[in-house]
Amino acid sequence: MNLSELQDNAVEHGFTHSFVCTESGVKRDGDGPVYPVKDLRIVHSNSVDTGTDPGDDATLYMIEASDGSKGTLIVPAGFYADPHKAKIIDQLLHRH
């Protein structure tokens, strides 16, 4: 599956929001609240590895907040990753 197909699959499973990382946590798209890491969990993740261009590789994380909001966070592979995203994902992965 490519990234677009993974996003469509996530929406089909109720992960309709896009999450954005901030210095204080993760914000839901639009004017949604900012969630601290303790209020989030990774439900599932899928990676895209095109094998030809590392700039096209990414992981899509399906995340659920404590209030039931579901969304996705896309993290590019390797050194293309935003440091805020990498930090948040690292914290979420080490909670389990």
Side-chain angles (χ1 to χ4, degrees), residues 54-55 76-83:
F79 60 85
Y80 296 105
D82 176 313

Side-chain angles (χ1 to χ4, degrees), residues 1-3 47-59 74-77 80:
M1 292 181 113
N2 64 35
L3 189 56
S47 295
V48 175
D49 182 356
T50 60
T52 56
D53 183 357
D56 291 339
D57 300 343
T59 301
I74 298 171
V75 180
Y80 296 105

Side-chain angles (χ1 to χ4, degrees), residues 51-94:
T52 56
D53 183 357
D56 291 339
D57 300 343
T59 301
L60 179 135
Y61 291 92
M62 296 179 194
I63 297 174
E64 184 173 16
S66 58
D67 69 358
S69 295
K70 294 180 179 180
T72 58
L73 180 67
I74 298 171
V75 180
F79 60 85
Y80 296 105
D82 176 313
H84 292 299
K85 286 183 180 181
K87 180 180 177 183
I88 296 286
I89 293 300
D90 189 51
Q91 291 172 349
L92 287 169
L93 290 172
H94 287 94

